[in-house]
Amino acid sequence: MAGLAARILFYPTLGYNLLMEKLWGRRWFDRIDESVILGALPFRSMTSQLYEKENVRGVITMNEEFETRYLCNSVQLYHWTPKEASELIASIRPHIIIRQGQFKVLQTYYQQTCVPEGA
């Protein structure tokens, strides 16, 4: 059912994002760190820019599961708290919403991997 809803909503949300880019200057993608660019799935017309200027060699379609994995990786790699990781993403791409379920997973991961035992 979720797959069907995603397909039905794809074109209206694509149109909305194009409108936001043209009228209000929302960027199609942003560099989050030295190895990650976060944004919408690129059009073929963006390929040269991404390859030559940003050194992109592959694209992963992001959904909540992969967003959460990236956040968990960032928490461990940069020693951020869940709040710091979420705030960084929000400061770069303010329209991204970290959902409560994602944040809970992030907190659990942080407690299991970054907080010393007994702390």
PDB file of all heavy atoms in Angstrom, residues 2 6 10 12 20 25 28-29 32-33 47 49 55 64 68-69 73 76 78 81 83 87 94 103 110 113:
ATOM      1  N   ALA A   2       1.960   1.263   0.779  1.00  0.00           N
ATOM      2  CA  ALA A   2       2.836   2.432   0.836  1.00  0.00           C
ATOM      3  C   ALA A   2       3.487   2.682  -0.519  1.00  0.00           C
ATOM      4  O   ALA A   2       3.665   3.833  -0.921  1.00  0.00           O
ATOM      5  CB  ALA A   2       3.898   2.249   1.916  1.00  0.00           C
ATOM      6  N   ALA A   6       3.220   6.098  -2.717  1.00  0.00           N
ATOM      7  CA  ALA A   6       4.427   6.800  -3.157  1.00  0.00           C
ATOM      8  C   ALA A   6       4.379   7.076  -4.652  1.00  0.00           C
ATOM      9  O   ALA A   6       4.739   8.166  -5.107  1.00  0.00           O
ATOM     10  CB  ALA A   6       5.671   5.991  -2.802  1.00  0.00           C
ATOM     11  N   PHE A  10       4.222  10.840  -6.410  1.00  0.00           N
ATOM     12  CA  PHE A  10       5.506  11.233  -6.984  1.00  0.00           C
ATOM     13  C   PHE A  10       5.409  12.492  -7.838  1.00  0.00           C
ATOM     14  O   PHE A  10       6.132  13.466  -7.608  1.00  0.00           O
ATOM     15  CB  PHE A  10       6.109  10.086  -7.811  1.00  0.00           C
ATOM     16  CG  PHE A  10       7.374  10.495  -8.520  1.00  0.00           C
ATOM     17  CD1 PHE A  10       8.556  10.602  -7.813  1.00  0.00           C
ATOM     18  CD2 PHE A  10       7.367  10.791  -9.874  1.00  0.00           C
ATOM     19  CE1 PHE A  10       9.725  11.002  -8.445  1.00  0.00           C
ATOM     20  CE2 PHE A  10       8.533  11.187 -10.514  1.00  0.00           C
ATOM     21  CZ  PHE A  10       9.712  11.285  -9.800  1.00  0.00           C
ATOM     22  N   PRO A  12       2.972  14.879  -8.242  1.00  0.00           N
ATOM     23  CA  PRO A  12       2.609  16.135  -7.546  1.00  0.00           C
ATOM     24  C   PRO A  12       3.745  16.677  -6.672  1.00  0.00           C
ATOM     25  O   PRO A  12       3.980  17.890  -6.652  1.00  0.00           O
ATOM     26  CB  PRO A  12       1.401  15.738  -6.696  1.00  0.00           C
ATOM     27  CG  PRO A  12       0.822  14.547  -7.371  1.00  0.00           C
ATOM     28  CD  PRO A  12       1.992  13.828  -7.980  1.00  0.00           C
ATOM     29  N   MET A  20       9.190  25.085  -5.858  1.00  0.00           N
ATOM     30  CA  MET A  20       9.972  25.629  -4.745  1.00  0.00           C
ATOM     31  C   MET A  20      11.370  26.045  -5.215  1.00  0.00           C
ATOM     32  O   MET A  20      11.899  27.059  -4.778  1.00  0.00           O
ATOM     33  CB  MET A  20      10.099  24.600  -3.613  1.00  0.00           C
ATOM     34  CG  MET A  20       8.781  24.280  -2.926  1.00  0.00           C
ATOM     35  SD  MET A  20       8.072  25.705  -2.101  1.00  0.00           S
ATOM     36  CE  MET A  20       9.168  25.848  -0.723  1.00  0.00           C
ATOM     37  N   GLY A  25      13.982  29.450  -4.636  1.00  0.00           N
ATOM     38  CA  GLY A  25      15.406  29.151  -4.602  1.00  0.00           C
ATOM     39  C   GLY A  25      15.822  27.952  -3.777  1.00  0.00           C
ATOM     40  O   GLY A  25      16.992  27.837  -3.410  1.00  0.00           O
ATOM     41  N   TRP A  28      18.327  21.958  -5.071  1.00  0.00           N
ATOM     42  CA  TRP A  28      17.947  20.584  -5.386  1.00  0.00           C
ATOM     43  C   TRP A  28      18.726  19.601  -4.516  1.00  0.00           C
ATOM     44  O   TRP A  28      18.267  18.519  -4.192  1.00  0.00           O
ATOM     45  CB  TRP A  28      18.195  20.312  -6.867  1.00  0.00           C
ATOM     46  CG  TRP A  28      17.343  19.219  -7.409  1.00  0.00           C
ATOM     47  CD1 TRP A  28      17.775  17.976  -7.770  1.00  0.00           C
ATOM     48  CD2 TRP A  28      15.940  19.238  -7.634  1.00  0.00           C
ATOM     49  NE1 TRP A  28      16.718  17.224  -8.202  1.00  0.00           N
ATOM     50  CE2 TRP A  28      15.573  17.985  -8.141  1.00  0.00           C
ATOM     51  CE3 TRP A  28      14.950  20.194  -7.461  1.00  0.00           C
ATOM     52  CZ2 TRP A  28      14.269  17.655  -8.475  1.00  0.00           C
ATOM     53  CZ3 TRP A  28      13.654  19.868  -7.795  1.00  0.00           C
ATOM     54  CH2 TRP A  28      13.327  18.613  -8.287  1.00  0.00           C
ATOM     55  N   PHE A  29      19.930  19.992  -4.134  1.00  0.00           N
ATOM     56  CA  PHE A  29      20.743  19.137  -3.260  1.00  0.00           C
ATOM     57  C   PHE A  29      21.710  20.012  -2.483  1.00  0.00           C
ATOM     58  O   PHE A  29      21.981  21.153  -2.855  1.00  0.00           O
ATOM     59  CB  PHE A  29      21.517  18.076  -4.068  1.00  0.00           C
ATOM     60  CG  PHE A  29      22.419  18.634  -5.125  1.00  0.00           C
ATOM     61  CD1 PHE A  29      23.699  19.038  -4.809  1.00  0.00           C
ATOM     62  CD2 PHE A  29      21.979  18.776  -6.431  1.00  0.00           C
ATOM     63  CE1 PHE A  29      24.540  19.558  -5.780  1.00  0.00           C
ATOM     64  CE2 PHE A  29      22.809  19.292  -7.415  1.00  0.00           C
ATOM     65  CZ  PHE A  29      24.086  19.687  -7.085  1.00  0.00           C
ATOM     66  N   ILE A  32      26.328  17.650   2.685  1.00  0.00           N
ATOM     67  CA  ILE A  32      26.183  17.502   4.131  1.00  0.00           C
ATOM     68  C   ILE A  32      27.561  17.376   4.783  1.00  0.00           C
ATOM     69  O   ILE A  32      27.831  17.959   5.822  1.00  0.00           O
ATOM     70  CB  ILE A  32      25.318  16.270   4.476  1.00  0.00           C
ATOM     71  CG1 ILE A  32      23.925  16.405   3.847  1.00  0.00           C
ATOM     72  CG2 ILE A  32      25.231  16.055   5.975  1.00  0.00           C
ATOM     73  CD1 ILE A  32      23.124  17.580   4.340  1.00  0.00           C
ATOM     74  N   ASP A  33      28.420  16.573   4.185  1.00  0.00           N
ATOM     75  CA  ASP A  33      29.797  16.451   4.648  1.00  0.00           C
ATOM     76  C   ASP A  33      30.652  16.107   3.439  1.00  0.00           C
ATOM     77  O   ASP A  33      30.178  16.183   2.301  1.00  0.00           O
ATOM     78  CB  ASP A  33      29.933  15.446   5.807  1.00  0.00           C
ATOM     79  CG  ASP A  33      29.595  14.012   5.433  1.00  0.00           C
ATOM     80  OD1 ASP A  33      29.655  13.651   4.245  1.00  0.00           O
ATOM     81  OD2 ASP A  33      29.273  13.241   6.346  1.00  0.00           O
ATOM     82  N   THR A  47      23.642  15.643 -14.333  1.00  0.00           N
ATOM     83  CA  THR A  47      24.694  14.633 -14.264  1.00  0.00           C
ATOM     84  C   THR A  47      26.087  15.232 -14.369  1.00  0.00           C
ATOM     85  O   THR A  47      26.963  14.919 -13.564  1.00  0.00           O
ATOM     86  CB  THR A  47      24.489  13.564 -15.357  1.00  0.00           C
ATOM     87  OG1 THR A  47      23.185  13.006 -15.202  1.00  0.00           O
ATOM     88  CG2 THR A  47      25.520  12.467 -15.259  1.00  0.00           C
ATOM     89  N   GLN A  49      27.188  18.292 -13.793  1.00  0.00           N
ATOM     90  CA  GLN A  49      27.511  19.095 -12.606  1.00  0.00           C
ATOM     91  C   GLN A  49      27.862  18.197 -11.423  1.00  0.00           C
ATOM     92  O   GLN A  49      28.863  18.421 -10.738  1.00  0.00           O
ATOM     93  CB  GLN A  49      26.341  20.004 -12.233  1.00  0.00           C
ATOM     94  CG  GLN A  49      26.577  20.779 -10.955  1.00  0.00           C
ATOM     95  CD  GLN A  49      25.339  21.524 -10.473  1.00  0.00           C
ATOM     96  OE1 GLN A  49      24.253  21.377 -11.005  1.00  0.00           O
ATOM     97  NE2 GLN A  49      25.522  22.329  -9.445  1.00  0.00           N
ATOM     98  N   ASN A  55      32.014  15.523  -7.775  1.00  0.00           N
ATOM     99  CA  ASN A  55      32.689  14.233  -7.726  1.00  0.00           C
ATOM    100  C   ASN A  55      31.767  13.080  -7.318  1.00  0.00           C
ATOM    101  O   ASN A  55      32.180  12.131  -6.665  1.00  0.00           O
ATOM    102  CB  ASN A  55      33.914  14.304  -6.806  1.00  0.00           C
ATOM    103  CG  ASN A  55      34.884  13.174  -7.066  1.00  0.00           C
ATOM    104  OD1 ASN A  55      34.994  12.685  -8.186  1.00  0.00           O
ATOM    105  ND2 ASN A  55      35.585  12.748  -6.039  1.00  0.00           N
ATOM    106  N   GLU A  64      13.255   7.115   4.437  1.00  0.00           N
ATOM    107  CA  GLU A  64      13.459   7.247   5.887  1.00  0.00           C
ATOM    108  C   GLU A  64      14.466   6.251   6.438  1.00  0.00           C
ATOM    109  O   GLU A  64      15.255   6.587   7.306  1.00  0.00           O
ATOM    110  CB  GLU A  64      12.123   7.107   6.625  1.00  0.00           C
ATOM    111  CG  GLU A  64      11.264   8.327   6.508  1.00  0.00           C
ATOM    112  CD  GLU A  64      10.036   8.249   7.370  1.00  0.00           C
ATOM    113  OE1 GLU A  64      10.017   7.474   8.343  1.00  0.00           O
ATOM    114  OE2 GLU A  64       9.082   8.976   7.073  1.00  0.00           O
ATOM    115  N   THR A  68      17.842   7.528   8.286  1.00  0.00           N
ATOM    116  CA  THR A  68      18.140   7.128   9.660  1.00  0.00           C
ATOM    117  C   THR A  68      19.523   6.491   9.745  1.00  0.00           C
ATOM    118  O   THR A  68      20.294   6.775  10.667  1.00  0.00           O
ATOM    119  CB  THR A  68      17.060   6.158  10.182  1.00  0.00           C
ATOM    120  OG1 THR A  68      15.778   6.759  10.012  1.00  0.00           O
ATOM    121  CG2 THR A  68      17.267   5.823  11.648  1.00  0.00           C
ATOM    122  N   ARG A  69      19.872   5.657   8.771  1.00  0.00           N
ATOM    123  CA  ARG A  69      21.207   5.036   8.761  1.00  0.00           C
ATOM    124  C   ARG A  69      22.291   6.095   8.640  1.00  0.00           C
ATOM    125  O   ARG A  69      23.328   6.000   9.289  1.00  0.00           O
ATOM    126  CB  ARG A  69      21.329   4.039   7.612  1.00  0.00           C
ATOM    127  CG  ARG A  69      20.591   2.769   7.853  1.00  0.00           C
ATOM    128  CD  ARG A  69      20.816   1.816   6.727  1.00  0.00           C
ATOM    129  NE  ARG A  69      19.978   0.649   6.885  1.00  0.00           N
ATOM    130  CZ  ARG A  69      20.001  -0.381   6.065  1.00  0.00           C
ATOM    131  NH1 ARG A  69      20.808  -0.391   5.030  1.00  0.00           N
ATOM    132  NH2 ARG A  69      19.201  -1.401   6.272  1.00  0.00           N
ATOM    133  N   ASN A  73      25.194   6.785  11.355  1.00  0.00           N
ATOM    134  CA  ASN A  73      26.608   6.806  10.977  1.00  0.00           C
ATOM    135  C   ASN A  73      27.255   8.123  11.384  1.00  0.00           C
ATOM    136  O   ASN A  73      28.379   8.139  11.890  1.00  0.00           O
ATOM    137  CB  ASN A  73      26.738   6.584   9.465  1.00  0.00           C
ATOM    138  CG  ASN A  73      28.168   6.480   9.034  1.00  0.00           C
ATOM    139  OD1 ASN A  73      28.947   5.736   9.591  1.00  0.00           O
ATOM    140  ND2 ASN A  73      28.534   7.264   8.047  1.00  0.00           N
ATOM    141  N   GLN A  76      28.024   8.311  15.119  1.00  0.00           N
ATOM    142  CA  GLN A  76      29.209   7.551  15.504  1.00  0.00           C
ATOM    143  C   GLN A  76      30.482   8.188  14.945  1.00  0.00           C
ATOM    144  O   GLN A  76      31.471   8.349  15.661  1.00  0.00           O
ATOM    145  CB  GLN A  76      29.092   6.112  15.021  1.00  0.00           C
ATOM    146  CG  GLN A  76      30.214   5.233  15.527  1.00  0.00           C
ATOM    147  CD  GLN A  76      29.975   3.781  15.208  1.00  0.00           C
ATOM    148  OE1 GLN A  76      29.192   3.442  14.330  1.00  0.00           O
ATOM    149  NE2 GLN A  76      30.652   2.912  15.918  1.00  0.00           N
ATOM    150  N   TYR A  78      31.158  11.345  13.849  1.00  0.00           N
ATOM    151  CA  TYR A  78      31.499  12.694  14.303  1.00  0.00           C
ATOM    152  C   TYR A  78      31.288  12.910  15.800  1.00  0.00           C
ATOM    153  O   TYR A  78      31.485  14.004  16.305  1.00  0.00           O
ATOM    154  CB  TYR A  78      30.685  13.731  13.518  1.00  0.00           C
ATOM    155  CG  TYR A  78      30.951  13.668  12.030  1.00  0.00           C
ATOM    156  CD1 TYR A  78      29.966  13.242  11.151  1.00  0.00           C
ATOM    157  CD2 TYR A  78      32.192  14.013  11.522  1.00  0.00           C
ATOM    158  CE1 TYR A  78      30.203  13.176   9.793  1.00  0.00           C
ATOM    159  CE2 TYR A  78      32.449  13.949  10.160  1.00  0.00           C
ATOM    160  CZ  TYR A  78      31.450  13.531   9.298  1.00  0.00           C
ATOM    161  OH  TYR A  78      31.695  13.454   7.954  1.00  0.00           O
ATOM    162  N   THR A  81      25.561  14.028  19.276  1.00  0.00           N
ATOM    163  CA  THR A  81      24.370  13.505  19.935  1.00  0.00           C
ATOM    164  C   THR A  81      23.275  13.408  18.872  1.00  0.00           C
ATOM    165  O   THR A  81      23.386  14.035  17.806  1.00  0.00           O
ATOM    166  CB  THR A  81      23.901  14.445  21.059  1.00  0.00           C
ATOM    167  OG1 THR A  81      23.487  15.679  20.466  1.00  0.00           O
ATOM    168  CG2 THR A  81      24.988  14.669  22.101  1.00  0.00           C
ATOM    169  N   LYS A  83      20.492  14.860  18.887  1.00  0.00           N
ATOM    170  CA  LYS A  83      19.987  16.218  18.677  1.00  0.00           C
ATOM    171  C   LYS A  83      20.920  17.003  17.757  1.00  0.00           C
ATOM    172  O   LYS A  83      20.467  17.709  16.855  1.00  0.00           O
ATOM    173  CB  LYS A  83      19.833  16.929  20.017  1.00  0.00           C
ATOM    174  CG  LYS A  83      19.208  18.293  19.890  1.00  0.00           C
ATOM    175  CD  LYS A  83      18.971  18.924  21.241  1.00  0.00           C
ATOM    176  CE  LYS A  83      18.276  20.257  21.017  1.00  0.00           C
ATOM    177  NZ  LYS A  83      18.437  21.192  22.055  1.00  0.00           N
ATOM    178  N   GLU A  87      19.881  18.498  14.170  1.00  0.00           N
ATOM    179  CA  GLU A  87      19.970  19.945  13.977  1.00  0.00           C
ATOM    180  C   GLU A  87      20.869  20.295  12.787  1.00  0.00           C
ATOM    181  O   GLU A  87      20.595  21.254  12.066  1.00  0.00           O
ATOM    182  CB  GLU A  87      20.466  20.633  15.247  1.00  0.00           C
ATOM    183  CG  GLU A  87      19.419  20.667  16.333  1.00  0.00           C
ATOM    184  CD  GLU A  87      19.923  21.210  17.670  1.00  0.00           C
ATOM    185  OE1 GLU A  87      21.156  21.411  17.825  1.00  0.00           O
ATOM    186  OE2 GLU A  87      19.081  21.420  18.550  1.00  0.00           O
ATOM    187  N   PRO A  94      16.318  22.582   5.714  1.00  0.00           N
ATOM    188  CA  PRO A  94      15.295  22.810   6.734  1.00  0.00           C
ATOM    189  C   PRO A  94      13.946  22.151   6.457  1.00  0.00           C
ATOM    190  O   PRO A  94      13.159  21.954   7.377  1.00  0.00           O
ATOM    191  CB  PRO A  94      15.151  24.332   6.786  1.00  0.00           C
ATOM    192  CG  PRO A  94      15.900  24.873   5.651  1.00  0.00           C
ATOM    193  CD  PRO A  94      16.815  23.823   5.139  1.00  0.00           C
ATOM    194  N   PHE A 103      13.971   9.420  15.181  1.00  0.00           N
ATOM    195  CA  PHE A 103      14.717   9.972  16.302  1.00  0.00           C
ATOM    196  C   PHE A 103      14.880   8.934  17.412  1.00  0.00           C
ATOM    197  O   PHE A 103      15.938   8.842  18.028  1.00  0.00           O
ATOM    198  CB  PHE A 103      14.044  11.245  16.820  1.00  0.00           C
ATOM    199  CG  PHE A 103      14.954  12.073  17.681  1.00  0.00           C
ATOM    200  CD1 PHE A 103      15.958  12.837  17.111  1.00  0.00           C
ATOM    201  CD2 PHE A 103      14.829  12.068  19.055  1.00  0.00           C
ATOM    202  CE1 PHE A 103      16.820  13.598  17.892  1.00  0.00           C
ATOM    203  CE2 PHE A 103      15.681  12.817  19.850  1.00  0.00           C
ATOM    204  CZ  PHE A 103      16.682  13.590  19.270  1.00  0.00           C
ATOM    205  N   TYR A 110      22.569   5.660  19.570  1.00  0.00           N
ATOM    206  CA  TYR A 110      23.515   6.500  20.313  1.00  0.00           C
ATOM    207  C   TYR A 110      23.807   5.885  21.684  1.00  0.00           C
ATOM    208  O   TYR A 110      24.968   5.784  22.088  1.00  0.00           O
ATOM    209  CB  TYR A 110      22.928   7.902  20.459  1.00  0.00           C
ATOM    210  CG  TYR A 110      23.770   8.841  21.284  1.00  0.00           C
ATOM    211  CD1 TYR A 110      24.931   9.402  20.767  1.00  0.00           C
ATOM    212  CD2 TYR A 110      23.398   9.183  22.581  1.00  0.00           C
ATOM    213  CE1 TYR A 110      25.709  10.276  21.514  1.00  0.00           C
ATOM    214  CE2 TYR A 110      24.163  10.059  23.336  1.00  0.00           C
ATOM    215  CZ  TYR A 110      25.316  10.600  22.803  1.00  0.00           C
ATOM    216  OH  TYR A 110      26.076  11.456  23.547  1.00  0.00           O
ATOM    217  N   THR A 113      26.005   2.681  21.184  1.00  0.00           N
ATOM    218  CA  THR A 113      27.318   2.752  20.561  1.00  0.00           C
ATOM    219  C   THR A 113      28.207   3.898  21.068  1.00  0.00           C
ATOM    220  O   THR A 113      29.431   3.800  20.938  1.00  0.00           O
ATOM    221  CB  THR A 113      27.214   2.901  19.031  1.00  0.00           C
ATOM    222  OG1 THR A 113      26.506   4.092  18.720  1.00  0.00           O
ATOM    223  CG2 THR A 113      26.532   1.706  18.416  1.00  0.00           C
TER     224      THR A 113
END
